[in-house]
Amino acid sequence: MFLTSFLMTDLSRRANWALVAAAALLAGCDQLGIESPEKVAAARVAEGNAIGGACRHAGRAIEDCYALNKRADKAAVFAGWRDMNDYMRENKIDPVPPQLNPQGASGKSPESEAASEDAPPAKPAKATKAH
Protein backbone atom coordinates (compact mmCIF):
# COMPACT_ATOMS: atom_id res chain seq x y z
CA MET A 1 0.00 0.00 0.00
CA PHE A 2 2.77 2.36 0.91
CA LEU A 3 4.56 1.63 -2.35
CA THR A 4 1.52 2.39 -4.52
CA SER A 5 0.81 5.64 -2.71
CA PHE A 6 4.48 6.60 -3.07
CA LEU A 7 4.43 5.83 -6.80
CA MET A 8 1.21 7.77 -7.33
CA THR A 9 2.65 10.78 -5.50
CA ASP A 10 5.84 10.52 -7.53
CA LEU A 11 3.87 10.34 -10.79
CA SER A 12 1.75 13.33 -9.87
CA ARG A 13 4.91 15.29 -9.01
CA ARG A 14 6.42 14.39 -12.36
CA ALA A 15 3.23 15.39 -14.15
CA ASN A 16 3.19 18.70 -12.30
CA TRP A 17 6.82 19.35 -13.19
CA ALA A 18 6.11 18.47 -16.81
CA LEU A 19 3.22 20.93 -16.89
CA VAL A 20 5.34 23.66 -15.31
CA ALA A 21 8.18 23.00 -17.74
CA ALA A 22 5.82 23.06 -20.74
CA ALA A 23 4.27 26.32 -19.57
CA ALA A 24 7.72 27.85 -19.11
CA LEU A 25 8.78 26.77 -22.59
CA LEU A 26 5.63 28.18 -24.18
CA ALA A 27 5.97 31.43 -22.28
CA GLY A 28 9.56 31.75 -23.50
CA CYS A 29 8.66 31.51 -27.19
CA ASP A 30 8.75 35.31 -27.53
CA GLN A 31 12.20 35.35 -26.00
CA LEU A 32 13.35 32.71 -28.46
CA GLY A 33 12.19 34.76 -31.44
CA ILE A 34 9.18 32.60 -32.24
CA GLU A 35 6.33 34.95 -33.08
CA SER A 36 2.67 34.16 -32.69
CA PRO A 37 0.38 34.27 -35.74
CA GLU A 38 -1.36 37.31 -34.27
CA LYS A 39 1.94 39.20 -34.08
CA VAL A 40 2.81 38.27 -37.66
CA ALA A 41 -0.60 39.42 -38.91
CA ALA A 42 -0.33 42.71 -37.01
CA ALA A 43 3.13 43.31 -38.46
CA ARG A 44 1.85 42.68 -42.01
CA VAL A 45 -1.00 45.14 -41.50
CA ALA A 46 1.33 47.78 -40.05
CA GLU A 47 3.77 47.32 -42.93
CA GLY A 48 0.95 47.58 -45.48
CA ASN A 49 -0.29 50.78 -43.84
CA ALA A 50 3.20 52.25 -43.95
CA ILE A 51 3.63 51.31 -47.61
CA GLY A 52 0.27 52.81 -48.56
CA GLY A 53 0.96 56.02 -46.66
CA ALA A 54 4.38 56.38 -48.25
CA CYS A 55 2.96 55.76 -51.73
CA ARG A 56 0.31 58.45 -51.25
CA HIS A 57 2.85 60.92 -49.85
CA ALA A 58 5.00 60.28 -52.93
CA GLY A 59 2.02 61.02 -55.19
CA ARG A 60 1.70 57.47 -56.51
CA ALA A 61 -1.64 56.08 -57.61
CA ILE A 62 -2.91 53.17 -55.57
CA GLU A 63 -2.58 50.85 -58.59
CA ASP A 64 1.10 51.79 -58.94
CA CYS A 65 1.57 51.12 -55.26
CA TYR A 66 0.07 47.65 -55.65
CA ALA A 67 2.30 46.95 -58.65
CA LEU A 68 5.46 48.04 -56.82
CA ASN A 69 4.59 46.07 -53.67
CA LYS A 70 3.14 42.78 -54.86
CA ARG A 71 3.73 40.93 -51.57
CA ALA A 72 2.05 43.53 -49.36
CA ASP A 73 -1.50 43.05 -48.11
CA LYS A 74 -3.68 45.09 -50.49
CA ALA A 75 -6.32 45.97 -47.90
CA ALA A 76 -3.69 47.31 -45.52
CA VAL A 77 -1.95 49.22 -48.33
CA PHE A 78 -5.24 50.82 -49.33
CA ALA A 79 -6.06 51.71 -45.72
CA GLY A 80 -2.68 53.41 -45.31
CA TRP A 81 -3.03 55.19 -48.67
CA ARG A 82 -6.52 56.43 -47.78
CA ASP A 83 -5.47 57.60 -44.30
CA MET A 84 -2.53 59.53 -45.75
CA ASN A 85 -4.77 60.98 -48.46
CA ASP A 86 -7.20 62.30 -45.82
CA TYR A 87 -4.33 63.65 -43.74
CA MET A 88 -2.74 65.42 -46.71
CA ARG A 89 -6.06 66.99 -47.73
CA GLU A 90 -6.85 68.21 -44.22
CA ASN A 91 -3.41 69.76 -43.77
CA LYS A 92 -2.98 70.93 -47.39
CA ILE A 93 0.23 68.94 -47.89
CA ASP A 94 1.56 68.54 -51.42
CA PRO A 95 2.93 65.18 -52.58
CA VAL A 96 6.71 64.80 -52.57
CA PRO A 97 7.81 63.10 -55.81
CA PRO A 98 10.28 60.25 -55.31
CA GLN A 99 13.91 61.10 -56.07
CA LEU A 100 15.10 57.54 -56.65
CA ASN A 101 14.21 55.16 -59.44
CA PRO A 102 11.88 52.41 -58.08
CA GLN A 103 13.93 49.73 -59.88
CA GLY A 104 17.10 51.26 -58.46
CA ALA A 105 19.40 49.00 -60.46
CA SER A 106 20.17 50.90 -63.65
CA GLY A 107 20.12 54.50 -62.46
CA LYS A 108 18.22 55.50 -65.62
CA SER A 109 14.64 56.65 -65.70
CA PRO A 110 12.07 54.31 -67.30
CA GLU A 111 11.53 56.85 -70.10
CA SER A 112 15.20 56.93 -71.06
CA GLU A 113 15.40 53.14 -70.95
CA ALA A 114 12.36 52.85 -73.24
CA ALA A 115 13.88 55.36 -75.66
CA SER A 116 17.19 53.49 -75.73
CA GLU A 117 15.40 50.20 -76.44
CA ASP A 118 13.68 51.73 -79.48
CA ALA A 119 16.89 53.18 -80.87
CA PRO A 120 19.08 50.98 -83.07
CA PRO A 121 22.27 49.70 -81.45
CA ALA A 122 25.31 51.90 -81.91
CA LYS A 123 27.78 50.83 -84.58
CA PRO A 124 31.29 50.09 -83.38
CA ALA A 125 33.95 52.52 -84.58
CA LYS A 126 36.32 51.24 -87.25
CA ALA A 127 39.71 50.32 -85.98
CA THR A 128 42.52 52.11 -87.78
CA LYS A 129 45.82 50.45 -88.37
CA ALA A 130 48.84 52.25 -87.04
CA HIS A 131 51.97 51.76 -89.23
Side-chain angles (χ1 to χ4, degrees):
M1 188 74 157
F2 175 74
L3 185 58
T4 55
S5 65
F6 176 74
L7 289 176
M8 292 300 285
T9 307
D10 190 44
L11 286 177
S12 65
R13 284 184 193 160
R14 286 184 186 177
N16 286 340
W17 277 109
L19 288 174
V20 169
L25 286 174
L26 291 175
C29 286
D30 287 338
Q31 294 174 356
L32 295 174
I34 301 170
E35 295 182 356
S36 67
E38 293 84 15
K39 260 189 177 177
V40 172
R44 284 185 56 90
V45 168
E47 185 176 350
N49 283 335
I51 289 170
C55 282
R56 176 58 187 107
H57 190 256
R60 295 190 193 278
I62 189 68
E63 294 83 8
D64 295 341
C65 194
Y66 291 152
L68 291 172
N69 302 286
K70 291 181 182 6
R71 297 183 73 196
D73 183 33
K74 287 186 178 184
V77 170
F78 178 71
W81 192 95
R82 186 187 59 223
D83 290 344
M84 180 58 81
N85 186 53
D86 295 344
Y87 179 79
M88 290 174 70
R89 282 184 184 202
E90 288 172 8
N91 295 302
K92 297 179 176 95
I93 299 173
D94 294 328
V96 178
Q99 300 296 316
L100 297 176
N101 188 4
Q103 288 79 19
S106 66
K108 295 181 181 178
S109 68
E111 293 83 18
S112 66
E113 286 182 6
S116 65
E117 289 175 2
D118 294 340
K123 295 180 182 178
K126 291 184 180 181
T128 58
K129 289 185 180 179
H131 292 323

